[in-house]
Amino acid sequence: MKSRSWYRVALATTAGEPQLVLASGEHVGQAVAEAAKELAGSWAIAVDLATTEEIPLGESVGKGHVVRLGDAPAGLDRFKFPTGALPAVTGGVTGMREGWLERRDPHLFVVEAQVEADHIVDLYLGLIERLPSADNLEIRLLEHFDAGLATDVWLTSRVNGRKIIRFIDDHDEELFGNGHVELGVYARAQKATLRLTQHKTVAWIGEERTLATELAEWLKELKVPQVTELPAVDDGAHHHFRTANGRDRKKLADELYKHRLRKVDSIKRVDA
């Protein structure tokens, strides 16, 4: 049996103050899932490793046991973060909201959008559906996935938007619920990539301002408001994780290989 670690998880509900609990798991995602079961109708809004002093002893060490600590620290957002990345309980971002804006970049045209958990799949797939063409799906298993030493880049052969949507839809929980993974859909004609980032934002990254007007209209259709500021989870201390039952790095790589994706690159960590 794999070892389990303890985490502090802040939970929000539609009523009452956010609560802080201790939960254990073989990885962060398991602990977050165990914590959410403790409080009906709740969702996780922050997570941190428990300190040595907080870790319970005796009967509390049992698998799945959750310890309630009382009210969570003041000021935490009730934003329903998509599964895969959460702010830290201490030092995490605040002021999260749904919306999109154009990021300033001296060389690229970058539009970034952020939505809550129940909207993320529809947003990403909805944008793929609206693209004039989509040529390849790239899946990156990032270096911090199971403490890897490199980012492995997997790529489909040249396909089309319909096939890309079908593949993502068949693996939506696995891919959208893993903060150690990034997706990219290449649109060659537009010299751009539609990316689902590791922080669960959706970014259009192009060499030119192609489709600028269309993107604004599509985002409006998908009910994402334009904003002037867009704090994101990586603006503060945060943690990445996968779903409680999501595949580990090796098993996910095996799944990609089974579906005929090719590993085309392995980008080593600079400090490795």
Side-chain angles (χ1 to χ4, degrees):
M1 181 178 174
K2 294 182 180 179
S3 62
R4 298 172 69 87
S5 299
W6 284 88
Y7 300 87
R8 290 187 296 155
V9 184
L11 301 169
T13 61
T14 54
E17 293 300 317
Q19 297 296 298
L20 195 64
V21 303
L22 282 178
S24 69
E26 293 175 8
H27 55 84
V28 182
Q30 282 190 354
V32 168
E34 292 291 346
K37 291 178 186 175
E38 177 69 13
L39 198 59
S42 68
W43 62 93
I45 57 174
V47 65
D48 265 335
L49 268 169
T51 64
T52 303
E53 295 76 16
E54 290 172 324
I55 296 174
L57 301 175
E59 62 180 14
S60 296
V61 178
K63 179 178 178 181
H65 196 97
V66 175
V67 180
R68 296 200 185 200
L69 300 178
D71 289 350
L76 296 177
D77 282 354
R78 292 177 183 266
F79 192 83
K80 293 183 178 179
F81 294 90
T83 304
L86 281 172
V89 176
T90 302
V93 68
T94 59
M96 297 282 289
R97 70 187 72 177
E98 290 195 324
W100 72 270
L101 49 64
E102 182 176 341
R103 297 287 189 191
R104 292 184 180 178
D105 190 288
H107 307 294
L108 298 170
F109 171 50
V110 180
V111 169
E112 188 169 17
Q114 176 172 266
V115 292
E116 292 191 309
D118 57 358
H119 198 180
I120 185 70
V121 175
D122 288 343
L123 171 61
Y124 194 62
L125 297 187
L127 287 173
I128 297 173
E129 286 177 343
R130 288 164 169 79
L131 290 177
S133 63
D135 302 289
N136 296 90
L137 171 65
E138 176 193 88
I139 300 178
R140 293 185 172 226
L141 308 187
L142 302 173
E143 62 183 41
H144 47 73
F145 191 1
D146 291 345
L149 296 177
T151 291
D152 293 330
V153 183
W154 291 78
L155 193 67
T156 64
S157 58
R158 190 158 185 175
V159 285
N160 57 47
R162 181 175 52 81
K163 289 184 178 179
I164 290 171
I165 289 171
R166 183 187 306 155
F167 178 84
I168 296 175
D169 203 34
D170 287 344
H171 298 80
D172 59 347
E173 184 176 353
E174 187 90 68
L175 298 175
F176 283 90
N178 192 330
H180 305 291
V181 169
E182 286 195 337
L183 307 183
V185 174
Y186 292 144
R188 293 178 186 273
Q190 287 74 38
K191 298 181 181 178
T193 300
L194 180 66
R195 188 168 298 284
L196 176 68
T197 74
Q198 60 184 301
H199 301 111
K200 303 308 168 186
T201 63
V202 174
W204 173 263
I205 305 165
E207 296 180 18
E208 304 167 351
R209 293 188 61 83
T210 310
L211 297 184
T213 301
E214 291 86 346
L215 275 169
E217 184 60 33
W218 296 341
L219 288 163
K220 181 179 179 181
E221 292 171 0
L222 291 164
K223 299 182 174 19
V224 185
Q226 186 173 7
V227 296
T228 56
E229 294 182 356
L230 194 67
V233 71
D234 59 322
D235 288 331
H238 62 282
H239 300 273
H240 298 257
F241 61 98
R242 56 185 162 98
T243 58
N245 298 315
R247 292 179 177 90
D248 62 20
R249 186 185 188 108
K250 182 182 183 307
K251 289 180 180 177
L252 183 52
D254 289 344
E255 178 71 5
L256 299 180
Y257 180 80
K258 184 176 81 173
H259 285 274
R260 300 183 179 179
L261 277 80
R262 295 175 298 118
K263 187 165 82 167
V264 297
D265 202 357
S266 189
I267 306 166
K268 294 191 181 222
R269 285 172 46 184
V270 175
D271 59 347

